[in-house]
Amino acid sequence: MKSAMYSDFKRSKINKEDSKAYGMDLIIVDTGKYKDKIAARMRRENGKGSWMVYKGCDEEFARQVTAEHKVNVKNGKKVEKKWVPKRSHIDNHYLDCSVYEYCAAEISGVKFLYLDNDKPEEQQEETKPESGYREKENIDLSHILVVVDDIALPFGAIRIKPSGSDAGHNGLKNIAAMLNTQAYARLRFGVGNDFPKGCQVDYVLGHFSLEQRQQMPVRVDIACDAIRAFCLSGIDFAMCNFNNK
């Protein structure tokens, strides 16, 4: 679902109608906070969560990515800690690139990057699909309802199905792998697809429009009623009474 806010970056829209970039998302980055994160990772020992580079990385990268330090800077009557170059005219382009790469990774939800088959064994084990909880609790597939957002449906539209393909949705793909079947019920809640070509990720992770926020309480109430209907009366009743509602 769309996210409401972020701590180290925020989204805005270019709304000048005479601009060639009109309607595009604008990401405003708190560069100081990302430099704090990079510095903290650099201080860690090599391993998970530390700042590491490719083998053979040249010294120029190392010089530029460490070209700034955080010092006390007087601003009127206040003293603030700020990131400043260690000396004048020093190049810090790689540090700037690393800041925006870090931000882009967080926007995209990237936490780890591994090369070839270097993925740690413990991470491989964590991502193995399992359905142990369902088996342990003896939950019948007919009692499972997955609620998922769907850009293929208009905002607020509800579709309930007893089974189906993942249609490219990574969440449904993962659930199918965990359950070892696609024969599970799902309720799809439409979020619309009012975004330019190639901007799907930004749209899904962005803000709802004012009109959508105004409609949201009613649409969510209907979705909750549909879920209750599924639990109390079964999927056929829920489909008949809530699909296209």
Side-chain angles (χ1 to χ4, degrees):
M1 280 289 197
K2 293 187 176 184
S3 197
M5 65 172 62
Y6 302 92
S7 57
D8 301 336
F9 66 89
K10 63 181 180 179
R11 296 172 182 271
S12 183
K13 282 254 185 213
I14 298 175
N15 54 16
K16 290 184 66 175
E17 295 188 4
D18 58 344
S19 171
K20 292 182 179 179
Y22 176 75
M24 291 181 64
D25 278 339
L26 179 67
I27 309 296
I28 302 172
V29 181
D30 187 333
T31 57
K33 287 187 177 180
Y34 281 100
K35 289 174 183 178
D36 288 342
K37 291 181 179 183
I38 291 171
R41 289 180 179 272
M42 284 182 175
R43 287 192 290 269
R44 294 183 185 178
E45 292 185 10
N46 282 352
K48 186 177 179 181
S50 65
W51 186 264
M52 294 185 286
V53 297
Y54 294 106
K55 183 178 180 181
C57 184
D58 60 30
E59 291 184 12
E60 182 60 24
F61 176 86
R63 279 194 290 268
Q64 289 197 25
V65 84
T66 57
E68 295 185 13
H69 57 174
K70 201 170 188 180
V71 298
N72 290 326
V73 176
K74 194 170 183 180
N75 183 10
K77 294 183 179 180
K78 293 182 179 180
V79 176
E80 302 174 339
K81 281 191 171 292
K82 288 189 176 182
W83 284 95
V84 297
K86 291 180 178 178
R87 62 178 189 274
S88 61
H89 306 299
I90 191 171
D91 287 333
N92 62 350
H93 310 305
Y94 284 130
L95 175 59
D96 288 340
C97 289
S98 295
V99 163
Y100 294 114
E101 286 168 356
Y102 202 141
C103 179
E106 290 197 338
I107 293 172
S108 302
V110 176
K111 294 184 178 180
F112 301 100
L113 178 62
Y114 300 105
L115 298 178
D116 301 326
N117 296 318
D118 291 337
K119 192 172 183 180
E121 190 173 324
E122 62 271 19
Q123 290 293 326
Q124 294 178 12
E125 292 176 357
E126 286 177 7
T127 56
K128 285 181 180 177
E130 295 181 0
S131 55
Y133 179 79
R134 181 177 73 86
E135 294 170 353
K136 178 183 176 183
E137 300 296 327
N138 197 28
I139 300 173
D140 193 275
L141 271 175
S142 63
H143 293 168
I144 294 176
L145 176 67
V146 173
V147 181
V148 63
D149 59 329
D150 197 328
I151 61 171
L153 295 176
F155 175 80
I158 293 171
R159 298 289 186 276
I160 304 170
K161 293 178 64 178
S163 63
S165 69
D166 57 62
H169 194 292
N170 289 331
L172 294 181
K173 189 180 296 182
N174 181 255
I175 291 169
M178 292 175 68
L179 299 176
N180 199 29
T181 181
Q182 291 185 329
Y184 60 87
R186 71 282 312 271
L187 183 154
R188 296 154 56 209
F189 186 96
V191 295
N193 57 5
D194 185 21
F195 56 87
K197 186 176 180 181
C199 296
Q200 177 176 328
V201 172
D202 289 341
Y203 177 78
V204 173
L205 297 179
H207 300 287
F208 287 111
S209 68
L210 175 60
E211 183 181 2
Q212 289 172 331
R213 292 198 298 272
Q214 291 171 340
Q215 296 174 6
M216 182 70 76
V218 173
R219 303 312 303 171
V220 169
D221 283 346
I222 293 173
C224 290
D225 288 342
I227 294 169
R228 292 190 193 95
F230 170 86
C231 295
L232 299 175
S233 303
I235 189 165
D236 290 336
F237 179 87
M239 288 169 55
C240 289
N241 287 274
F242 290 94
N243 276 353
N244 301 315
K245 189 170 183 178

